[in-house]
Amino acid sequence: MAKQKRDAAATRSKIIQNAMELFAKKGFDGVSVDEVAAASQINKAMIFYYFKNKAGLYEAVMQGVLDAIYEEIVEADKCCDNTLGELKAFIATYASFAKRYPYFPALLLRELSDSGAHLPELMFESMKKLFVLLSGILEKGEREGVFKEVIPMIVHFMIIGTLNLYVTTQSLRKRVYEEDGLDTCCGCEIEEIAEYIYKKILLMLEVDNEKNICCS
Amino acid sequence: MAKQKRDAAATRSKIIQNAMELFAKKGFDGVSVDEVAAASQINKAMIFYYFKNKAGLYEAVMQGVLDAIYEEIVEADKCCDNTLGELKAFIATYASFAKRYPYFPALLLRELSDSGAHLPELMFESMKKLFVLLSGILEKGEREGVFKEVIPMIVHFMIIGTLNLYVTTQSLRKRVYEEDGLDTCCGCEIEEIAEYIYKKILLMLEVDNEKNICCS
DNA sequence: GATATAATCAACCAGTTAGTTAAATTTATG
DNA sequence: CATAAATTTAACTAACTGGTTGATTATATC
């Protein structure tokens, strides 16, 4: 099967991939359609052909990545039937996703910075879905007496805020480490950070011991 | 004293104020110089007269706000000579600043999203200074045996990540609350959030009791 | 009140932007 | 092979971009 000269699906996903990288690095307004076309080695008109306009391209990028992370977290949470395992899976999966899609945190932080001005409905639904998921875990834990004094919204921000900042500040942290020798966690893998956050959240929510076992 | 027809300082700060608001809402590339001029009711050329170019205006906005928050936190930390008080002052002052300068969190998150691409040196120095400050408090606490298992960088991100997200998501949270009745902390003042974060961080760092007294 | 200087403005410029169009080329299908 | 549909292209446009210029106006100082 020789490489086809035309492959709509491949062209489409190539555009999305390049657009994702560029939007993450420079934001919606910082990227021109010409730029995306050049990076994808296609004619600019293709972008309008596939995505109608620049906003449509942006929405396709965000929709894809937001749906993907939600699905992954839902899937990961299934594997556990105890509250602590679900919380751990939530944090670990978010971290794992951010590692595989390093552009995601920047895209998200940018979008939150303007309260989802570019994508009001999409951001609204996505933020809500993720929050409802974590919130469910935390409230279940509180009912079970596992967690104490939970404010789900703030715990949610603690988790995703920390992980997002950790990923987006990578180059800044590296520079601070190299020039000033400060410990900015440059040697850490994000999995270790996720583990640390999980442990600290347990302490924070006053989980009293290790009688609760959670999956791997 | 009749209102002067010309007042350089007032014009300058009027431009900065409007630019700060616009940059926070739409990002560097999302705002045009014409837009800032129109919002400030001045001629566009004035912006180039005072700030040389668009980047100069942006830098003036960020420099002002970053210097201001650093100064405030340094000042607040002086009033306490015990470690817990300093930590509390750090969190409370950051929150108080974010309340008075509601555009600051969005500006910061945007700048971090592109690793300070617009302002490499300024972001580098500012991020470093704030981190060194908190890091000093946390490491002192660890030496004193007050804090346990501290990773300063992550604790730093937990504090500023949470507070920044709380402020920037205000309108999204409000909508989620109104349409779905979920508790998104819309009734909370940021001071309460800061207090909650402080308490949770104490638990997290395994501060064992309240023998340590901190200032108001 | 003359004058130098600081502050302000309207009009302009060249380059870039998102988006369009109509034609060309490839591919599937009968 | 013919025809239609899907895909790709180059060339184009109208609006907007950051930035400049040279003239104009207000203010302080002598």
Side-chain angles (χ1 to χ4, degrees), chain A residues 111-156:
Chain A
E111 203 54 39
L112 291 178
S113 298
D114 47 29
S115 300
H118 292 110
L119 302 167
E121 295 316 308
L122 181 56
M123 281 310 293
F124 177 72
E125 289 303 325
S126 297
M127 193 189 115
K128 198 172 72 186
K129 277 162 70 178
L130 265 188
F131 171 58
V132 165
L133 200 66
L134 179 66
S135 209
I137 300 172
L138 295 172
E139 278 162 8
K140 179 160 72 92
E142 205 167 18
R143 279 195 305 274
E144 294 167 350
V146 180
F147 300 143
K148 290 188 189 121
E149 283 206 64
V150 181
I151 302 183
M153 188 82 264
I154 306 302
V155 176
H156 189 230

Side-chain angles (χ1 to χ4, degrees), chain B residues 102-204:
Chain B
Y103 303 119
F104 171 69
L107 289 170
L108 187 71
L109 287 187
R110 276 180 203 283
E111 202 55 37
L112 291 177
S113 298
D114 47 30
S115 301
H118 293 110
L119 301 167
E121 295 316 307
L122 180 56
M123 280 310 293
F124 177 71
E125 289 302 326
S126 297
M127 195 188 114
K128 200 173 69 188
K129 277 162 69 180
L130 265 188
F131 172 57
V132 165
L133 199 66
L134 179 66
S135 210
I137 298 172
L138 295 171
E139 278 162 7
K140 181 160 71 89
E142 205 166 18
R143 280 196 307 274
E144 293 167 350
V146 179
F147 301 142
K148 291 190 189 122
E149 284 205 63
V150 180
I151 303 183
M153 188 82 264
I154 307 303
V155 176
H156 190 228
F157 286 155
M158 280 193 173
I159 295 170
I160 69 169
T162 308
L163 288 172
N164 284 334
L165 283 187
Y166 184 77
V167 174
T168 55
T169 57
Q170 191 146 26
S171 63
L172 273 174
R173 283 186 294 108
K174 196 177 170 199
R175 220 187 119 189
V176 172
Y177 170 69
E178 284 168 357
E179 294 185 17
D180 298 80
L182 300 173
D183 181 13
T184 53
C185 296
C186 286
C188 290
E189 290 295 317
I190 197 164
E191 289 86 355
E192 299 171 57
I193 306 298
E195 181 71 27
Y196 181 77
I197 293 173
Y198 171 65
K199 277 190 200 159
K200 291 303 186 189
I201 297 239
L202 292 192
L203 285 168
M204 213 176 83

Side-chain angles (χ1 to χ4, degrees), chain B residues 82-100:
Chain B
N82 68 322
T83 307
L84 290 186
E86 285 165 11
L87 176 61
K88 189 175 188 176
F90 184 97
I91 298 171
T93 308
Y94 196 97
S96 155
F97 188 86
K99 188 179 192 174
R100 279 170 292 123

